[in-house]
Amino acid sequence: MNYMETYKQWLENATDDQALIDELKSIEGNEKEIHDRFYRQLQFGTAGLRGTLGAGTNRMNIYVVRQATQGLANYVNKKFGGGAVAISHDSRINADVFMIEAAKVLAANGIKVYITKELQPTPVLSYLVRHFGCQAGIMITASHNPAAYNGYKAYGEDGCQMTDVSAGIVYDEICNLDMFTGTKLMDLQDALDKGIIEYVDDSVYTEYLAEVKKQQVNPGICEGSDLSVVYTPLNGTGNKLVRRVLSEIGVDNVSIVKEQEMPDGNFTTCSFPNPEIKEALELGLKLCDELKPDLLLATDPDADRVGIAVPDEDGSYRLITGNETGIMLTDYILKCKKENGTLPENPIIVKTIVSTILIKRICKKYGCSMVDVLTGFKYIGEVILGLEQNNETDRYLFGFEESYGYLAGTYVRDKDAVVASMLIAEMAAYYKKQGKTLSQVIDELYHEYGYYYNKTLNFYFEGAEGMQKMADIMNGLRVNAPKEIANFAVEGICDYQMSTDTDLTTGSTETINLPKSNVLSYSLEGGNAAIVRPSGTEPKIKLYLTSVGKDKADALAIMDKLEESAKALLGV
């Protein structure tokens, strides 16, 4: 069936949602718009589904959600012979609607469903899967994407995002289903009355926070510290639990960015509700200028990422990168656990391949192993699962990715801005009692280990043409591998799709023992580096650059050259 035939089928059958019918009628005769909505089906991968809201197979809507959930139900019933699934949602437009639609499909397939009474952070969903012993989980979220997006994250029985194998099985099930006639539905009230669908009791969130608080490195350090915090949940899910955990560990002086306090899927105060982006923090920074707190915390809409800003020497507020927060937390956790005598034998820190290599030097100082994994927190979760299977979870101390995601502890298997916010506040209080700001702390670490400057660039390619353009760029880099970038010789190339690690100085090649992924990594002369990869959840290519300098000025100068040369290499 071609895209025009699919469009006509939707006009005839998408009758459960009048807004979708109105949208379809409004594009009648507009082949470009029809093509963009129907040229493909949103692919169900390890990140689940993600796309713009609207009508069509290439959009997020109730029919796509129903079909995906029927595929998941088939997977659960075939693999486990039935079971349970937990579902929650964030503040996105239609997120609550999609949660209910998914629950109705699962219930119709005889699967027990636990749903939340209100929006909750993504890490809470991971916790619910483990708490209730579920076979799968669903989180309706598009994380930090713009307001036009929504998504559907699928979790496995361990509370981690689905593996490549499981997601592939679910996707095969989805592809064999008719969008309109292939899904089962049960009435919500009927399912609630029969106990097939059940709302999560609030006591579970207290249990979740108890697990979060177990991850404190210096319990009680915040009490009496007079730590002052400005916090913004960016109109998402973090408002209640982040504020609650801060209060419970003794952080009493917390001021909220009022314009971004309440859930709002339109995100009217920032077009990209992403704490990686300065514009999302503008209102928080404005309040900081007024109140002069010790710390600004900003969690993204589904509260799995957190960004911070801290006072600088000139009185302004310095934005701390995701890598820098990871550096400080790694050092803080290892140093204090060693001081406290709570550092386990053979401790492990886990990071993604695109995160700062400075971590290796910190781990070496404390006799800690460092594990590199592919981009995506599910790979950190898989390391934890491996430790769990060997009864060694105590070895895991901390995992992070440069895109502002952190996890201490093993009570969930996804990044958690609630525990990260707690640890960042604790760390700030620890150093405040020593008369230091976090700005001074990161600079001291640079002075000790060298100035590693990291920069991430995003290049967007929308629509069908954009997908092809990204494929062409990656193929071009493989066919014509660069010999130098910014006059720094390329000394090594890791192609994670081909599983090859090539040392260009010797000509030798080794096998990369990680799952295949469309990533190219270039090791450059002088310790500098560049990594290129298409995003798995957004229509963009990400470029990760590392410059290593004698000091900040030197590193910045090198970065400018790297950025200019790398852009030219990509043709952007």
Side-chain angles (χ1 to χ4, degrees):
M1 186 181 297
N2 63 37
Y3 67 91
M4 287 302 296
E5 290 172 336
T6 307
Y7 167 67
K8 292 175 182 177
Q9 182 192 45
W10 274 63
L11 275 172
E12 294 172 1
N13 293 283
T15 54
D16 288 352
D17 191 326
Q18 186 59 44
L20 296 184
I21 291 293
D22 292 342
E23 179 184 341
L24 292 170
K25 288 180 178 178
S26 73
I27 62 171
E28 191 171 2
N30 188 333
E31 189 167 346
K32 182 179 179 181
E33 288 294 332
I34 294 171
H35 178 259
D36 191 51
R37 285 166 174 78
F38 293 98
Y39 82 94
R40 67 166 187 160
Q41 182 171 317
L42 282 182
Q43 186 165 347
F44 188 99
T46 55
L49 303 167
R50 191 174 298 186
T52 53
L53 291 156
T57 56
N58 188 34
R59 294 287 190 272
M60 283 297 298
N61 51 69
I62 61 171
Y63 300 104
V64 167
V65 168
R66 288 174 181 174
Q67 184 187 40
T69 308
Q70 184 63 54
L72 180 66
N74 291 351
Y75 163 81
V76 169
N77 280 331
K78 288 178 180 180
K79 181 174 182 179
F80 302 101
V85 175
I87 316 178
S88 190
H89 67 91
D90 68 4
S91 59
R92 294 268 159 187
I93 295 168
N94 283 344
D96 54 343
V97 173
F98 294 165
M99 179 185 75
I100 296 300
E101 291 299 313
K104 287 158 60 177
V105 171
L106 291 165
N109 284 272
I111 295 170
K112 173 78 176 185
V113 188
Y114 298 95
I115 59 175
T116 58
K117 299 172 187 174
E118 60 181 6
L119 73 175
Q120 294 293 341
T122 286
V124 168
L125 184 278
S126 176
Y127 181 79
L128 295 178
V129 171
R130 297 177 62 79
H131 177 82
F132 289 114
C134 295
Q135 282 61 54
I138 301 167
M139 181 69 190
I140 305 297
T141 177
S143 190
H144 54 281
N145 283 70
Y149 284 78
N150 209 331
Y152 179 115
K153 283 185 181 179
Y155 288 76
E157 59 186 310
D158 62 341
C160 187
Q161 285 189 50
M162 273 197 169
T163 63
D164 297 334
V165 173
S166 296
I169 296 171
V170 174
Y171 185 56
D172 288 343
E173 291 285 350
I174 293 169
C175 291
N176 291 325
L177 294 169
D178 181 272
M179 182 73 73
F180 298 103
T181 63
T183 59
K184 301 176 183 178
L185 280 176
M186 185 174 187
D187 178 73
L188 174 62
Q189 192 57 55
D190 188 24
L192 287 167
D193 291 342
K194 293 179 178 178
I196 301 176
I197 296 177
E198 180 182 328
Y199 283 105
V200 176
D201 188 80
D202 290 347
S203 63
V204 178
Y205 308 125
T206 299
E207 295 175 39
Y208 159 78
L209 283 182
E211 293 296 325
V212 170
K213 289 187 290 183
K214 287 180 184 177
Q215 311 314 316
Q216 294 176 85
V217 179
N218 289 301
I221 193 75
C222 293
E223 296 172 7
S225 67
D226 195 32
L227 185 75
S228 56
V229 176
V230 163
Y231 171 58
T232 171
L234 294 178
N235 301 117
T237 60
N239 190 37
K240 288 187 176 182
L241 291 179
V242 171
R243 292 171 73 172
R244 183 174 165 187
V245 77
L246 291 178
S247 175
E248 290 182 8
I249 66 168
V251 182
D252 299 320
N253 187 357
V254 179
S255 301
I256 307 300
V257 179
K258 290 299 180 184
E259 300 93 330
Q260 297 173 334
E261 179 179 15
M262 303 308 293
D264 181 2
N266 293 300
F267 305 116
T268 54
T269 61
C270 54
S271 56
F272 281 81
N274 183 352
E276 295 181 67
I277 299 172
K278 183 179 180 180
E279 286 73 19
L281 307 184
E282 290 292 357
L283 289 175
L285 291 169
K286 183 179 178 182
L287 189 57
C288 286
D289 288 337
E290 177 187 338
L291 300 179
K292 301 299 181 184
D294 299 304
L295 177 67
L296 166 65
L297 290 171
T299 54
D300 71 340
D302 66 325
D304 62 353
R305 302 172 191 243
V306 59
I308 70 173
V310 297
D312 215 342
E313 292 179 359
D314 61 2
S316 65
Y317 277 78
R318 174 178 175 177
L319 295 176
I320 301 297
T321 69
N323 275 317
E324 289 175 330
T325 299
I327 289 166
M328 287 191 286
L329 283 172
T330 298
D331 181 74
Y332 171 71
I333 291 168
L334 289 172
K335 176 174 63 180
C336 289
K337 281 187 174 289
K338 186 173 183 178
E339 290 173 353
N340 298 341
T342 56
L343 192 65
E345 289 188 19
N346 303 316
I348 289 177
I349 298 289
V350 189
K351 75 172 188 69
T352 57
I353 59 174
V354 298
S355 300
T356 176
I357 55 179
L358 175 54
I359 296 297
K360 293 181 181 179
R361 299 191 63 186
I362 297 174
C363 288
K364 183 178 179 181
K365 177 179 178 178
Y366 294 101
C368 178
S369 297
M370 196 210 73
V371 178
D372 260 326
V373 297
L374 291 177
T375 305
F377 225 85
K378 62 181 176 291
Y379 296 113
I380 295 177
E382 287 179 359
V383 172
I384 298 173
L385 177 61
L387 291 171
E388 184 178 55
Q389 291 170 340
N390 291 321
N391 295 314
E392 295 180 329
T393 51
D394 287 348
R395 293 179 61 198
Y396 173 83
L397 295 182
F398 184 61
F400 84 96
E401 56 187 9
E402 48 71 46
S403 54
Y404 296 62
Y406 315 95
L407 175 64
T410 62
Y411 59 99
V412 298
R413 300 298 160 84
D414 209 342
K415 49 188 175 286
D416 186 353
V418 181
V419 76
S421 296
M422 180 193 75
L423 286 172
I424 292 166
E426 178 188 317
M427 178 172 65
Y430 172 84
Y431 287 114
K432 183 174 182 177
K433 288 188 174 182
Q434 298 178 18
K436 295 179 183 179
T437 66
L438 292 185
S439 181
Q440 292 171 315
V441 171
I442 188 62
D443 285 341
E444 287 177 358
L445 290 169
Y446 282 142
H447 181 74
E448 179 178 357
Y449 295 106
Y451 206 100
Y452 288 70
Y453 186 65
N454 302 97
K455 190 170 187 177
T456 303
L457 302 172
N458 298 288
F459 306 103
Y460 287 85
F461 302 88
E462 300 285 353
E465 294 177 359
M467 297 292 288
Q468 185 60 50
K469 177 65 175 175
M470 289 194 292
D472 291 343
I473 288 173
M474 297 303 292
N475 183 59
L477 290 173
R478 288 188 168 92
V479 172
N480 297 301
K483 296 180 179 179
E484 59 85 20
I485 298 176
N487 294 322
F488 293 104
V490 177
E491 297 180 338
I493 301 176
C494 289
D495 188 334
Y496 290 88
Q497 185 163 279
M498 303 303 295
S499 299
T500 56
D501 179 355
T502 305
D503 185 334
L504 297 182
T505 62
T506 65
S508 63
T509 298
E510 296 181 359
T511 300
I512 297 173
N513 295 314
L514 290 173
K516 292 183 182 296
S517 183
N518 191 12
V519 181
L520 288 166
S521 175
Y522 304 96
S523 299
L524 309 178
E525 188 181 359
N528 303 295
I531 299 177
V532 185
R533 77 171 184 93
S535 170
T537 56
E538 300 173 77
K540 67 182 180 182
I541 280 182
K542 302 190 78 168
L543 174 63
Y544 305 84
L545 299 173
T546 299
S547 63
V548 183
K550 299 185 295 290
D551 52 30
K552 183 177 181 179
D554 187 32
L556 288 174
I558 293 171
M559 179 59 71
D560 287 342
K561 295 176 184 178
L562 287 176
E563 183 176 342
E564 182 180 357
S565 181
K567 283 181 177 179
L569 181 66
L570 297 182
V572 293

